[in-house]
Structure formats: C-alpha cells, structure tokens
Amino acid sequence: MLSRTSGPRPLPAVGRVLGTAAAGTCLLVAASACSSAVSIENADVPAWKATALPTASGTVLEDAGKILNRQPLVKDAADVPAGTYTLTMTCDGGGKAFFTVSAGGKTLAEAGAACNGSRESAKITVPSAGTVQVSASSVDAPLIYAYHLAAGS
C-alpha cells in the first residue's frame, strides 16, 4: 500500500500557467488604473474644449491645447481694459495644471486646476488697460487644458 505524506501538493502545469496569467492580468489592471483615461497624444482638443469649457461672453483671452512637457505655454491679448475678470480653467489627463496671469511684467494671479475634468475659476483684477498674458504649465505632462479670461465679477 502506498502512503501519501500530507502537505501542499505542487500545482499541475495548467494551474501554474493560469496562476501566472492571473497575476499578469492583475498587474496590467493595476498599472492602467494609474494611467490617464484620456489619450493626450490623440486628443481632439477643440472637440474636448467644446464640452469641457463652453464659451463665455466677454472673453478677452482664451486658449486650449496640449502640454507635452514642462515648458510653459504663453498667450497674450493686447488692449485689455482695466477691470475685474474671471479666469476659468480646466484640464484632463491627470495631475495639475498651473496658470499665471500677468500684465506689464507683474503677476496678477496664480491659479491651478486638478486635471480631472472639473472647472476651476479665479477672480483677476486688471489695474490698467494694456496687454494681459496667461501662462499655462504643468509638471504632470502630458495633459490637455483650456481656459478663458472673461470680463465680469
């Protein structure tokens, strides 16, 4: 009569293969949970902006695009009247985008937006008429962003 020793039995070859495949699948799912839901390189920025940040009346400066590295993207508008403005911004792709509003070489405001599709806003006071500049940047590139600076309180 054969006697068996108690203890764990080695997995058959099929079991080992399935176990390895399951572990690989778990790693793939975990890795994709950390990656961006938006494909930045293939993003249609105008189509995304149309739904993410609808146009606003009184807009004096706006931009949308892709931040692919840490270099700031700067846009300016000449002849912006003095007054109170609202900077509304959004981004997608993970991380955070930063926006700096300046006029005459002086920073008027700094604001940020979490890149999860939500909208953020900041009140800006432009003290005198002239050129206003908005700089968009991120340390979490790549991402897509949109903003507009509109008159009103």
Side-chain angles (χ1 to χ4, degrees):
M1 180 181 225
L2 294 173
S3 77
R4 296 192 96 184
T5 59
S6 62
R9 293 185 343 179
L11 287 175
V14 172
R16 284 192 299 259
V17 169
L18 290 176
T20 302
T25 301
C26 288
L27 286 174
L28 181 61
V29 169
S32 65
C34 295
S35 67
S36 168
V38 175
S39 172
I40 302 307
E41 291 77 18
N42 299 323
D44 180 347
V45 175
W48 170 80
K49 180 184 181 283
T51 58
L53 189 64
T55 59
S57 62
T59 297
V60 296
L61 181 59
E62 67 182 322
D63 195 19
K66 299 174 185 179
I67 297 176
L68 300 175
N69 55 42
R70 292 181 174 204
Q71 297 300 314
L73 302 172
V74 181
K75 189 166 183 179
D76 57 76
D79 302 322
V80 174
T84 303
Y85 295 84
T86 300
L87 176 68
T88 305
M89 62 220 121
T90 187
C91 57
D92 214 339
K96 191 167 186 176
F98 301 96
F99 301 87
T100 303
V101 181
S102 57
K106 181 181 174 189
T107 298
L108 302 178
E110 294 178 328
C115 295
N116 58 13
S118 63
R119 289 185 206 139
E120 304 288 337
S121 63
K123 300 289 184 197
I124 313 292
T125 300
V126 176
S128 60
T131 300
V132 172
Q133 190 174 66
V134 177
S135 170
S137 63
S138 179
V139 296
D140 301 310
L143 56 87
I144 54 178
Y145 73 94
Y147 68 82
H148 53 67
L149 184 65
S153 52

